[in-house]
Amino acid sequence: MAWEDIVLQTIGTYKSLFSAVPPVFQSFVTLFLIVVLMTVYSVFVWKLHKFIGTKNLFELNLNQYNKLSHPFYIKLVAILLYLLEYIIILPILILFWFAMFSIFLILVMDLELKIILFISAAVIATVRIASYIPKYGETIAREIAKLLPLNLLAIALLTPKFFDIERIIGNFSKLGEFFSLILHYLAFIIILEMLLRFFELILDLLEMKDIKVEEKEKD
């Protein structure tokens, strides 16, 4: 109720301020607020689409340890640190991107919260899977991370109530339930990323083994 009270007070304040604006300028005020929201959303998508579409958010080059005196133990420690980064740091980064993207969708789209979270999770999961595709994966992932959110914005623009500022402010009331539901979808994305990273690491180790065998055969 506290969160809903804040939203209601905000709507009341907005109505008071908006009514004080001369009628001839009210449409311009609404247009300005919508433009600001769209600009912030577009900048957010543009700034982060390359990041979320990058496969190796943290680099680990195991080949650099091949010439050391105890390569096995050093590689083992490197792998553990590598996995630690993806277990601790990566979830925080994904949570930030997922939360911000979902909040923007809550504001611009008049849909149920579960549907919005489902869309957000589907977009991020698709981007992360695409980033692991060989050769052109990251290019595809970045295009998806850029185009899908912008297309969703275009769809929102076509909805009749999109330019209703009171509706947008009222959608903030969904954020109370948002933080209780986001963990389920976040867990799905993190588990998916862990599986993708695990299989990627196995393939890298097998590839290194094949390279060593080829080098021995040449010697």
Side-chain angles (χ1 to χ4, degrees):
M1 291 297 297
W3 187 262
E4 293 179 356
D5 291 339
I6 293 174
V7 173
L8 291 175
Q9 291 177 3
T10 303
I11 293 176
T13 302
Y14 167 77
K15 287 182 177 180
S16 300
L17 295 175
F18 190 75
S19 60
V21 177
V24 68
F25 295 114
Q26 288 181 355
S27 59
F28 292 102
V29 173
T30 300
L31 180 60
F32 174 76
L33 295 176
I34 292 295
V35 168
V36 170
L37 176 62
M38 292 173 56
T39 301
V40 173
Y41 178 84
S42 300
V43 171
F44 166 78
V45 172
W46 181 258
K47 288 290 185 181
L48 293 183
H49 81 279
K50 291 183 179 180
F51 163 75
I52 200 67
T54 301
K55 182 183 74 172
N56 293 319
L57 301 179
F58 310 105
E59 293 292 339
L60 175 64
N61 182 14
L62 295 180
N63 290 320
Q64 65 180 314
Y65 301 108
N66 286 345
K67 297 180 181 179
L68 297 175
S69 57
H70 298 286
F72 173 78
Y73 296 105
I74 296 178
K75 289 178 186 177
L76 180 61
V77 172
I79 291 173
L80 292 176
L81 292 174
Y82 176 70
L83 294 176
L84 185 63
E85 289 177 334
Y86 276 88
I87 291 174
I88 296 179
I89 300 178
L90 180 64
I92 296 175
L93 297 177
I94 291 179
L95 174 61
F96 172 75
W97 204 95
F98 184 33
M100 293 300 299
F101 182 43
S102 299
I103 289 173
F104 276 119
L105 289 185
I106 289 172
L107 296 180
V108 301
M109 302 189 75
D110 193 17
L111 295 174
E112 293 183 9
L113 181 59
K114 290 184 178 180
I115 296 177
I116 290 177
L117 291 175
F118 185 87
I119 292 173
S120 299
V123 170
I124 296 176
T126 302
V127 170
R128 294 309 302 155
I129 292 175
S131 68
Y132 284 82
I133 298 175
K135 292 185 179 180
Y136 307 109
E138 290 189 352
T139 301
I140 297 173
R142 290 170 183 173
E143 289 300 314
I144 294 173
K146 177 176 62 176
L147 294 179
L148 280 183
L150 294 179
N151 285 334
L152 289 173
L153 177 60
I155 294 172
L157 281 169
L158 300 177
T159 59
K161 297 181 179 180
F162 178 80
F163 295 96
D164 186 354
I165 299 298
E166 292 184 24
R167 177 195 66 82
I168 294 176
I169 298 175
N171 283 345
F172 273 105
S173 62
K174 298 179 181 179
L175 296 182
E177 185 183 1
F178 165 77
F179 291 106
S180 63
L181 294 176
I182 191 175
L183 295 179
H184 298 85
Y185 297 94
L186 179 64
F188 168 78
I189 297 172
I190 292 174
I191 292 173
L192 175 64
E193 182 73 30
M194 294 299 103
L195 291 175
L196 291 170
R197 182 54 51 180
F198 173 76
F199 288 113
E200 177 74 13
L201 183 59
I202 295 298
L203 292 176
D204 288 343
L205 292 174
L206 291 176
E207 183 178 352
M208 286 180 55
K209 183 177 180 180
D210 292 337
I211 293 174
K212 288 183 178 180
V213 171
E214 291 179 1
E215 290 178 350
K216 290 181 178 179
E217 290 178 351
K218 289 180 181 180
D219 296 338

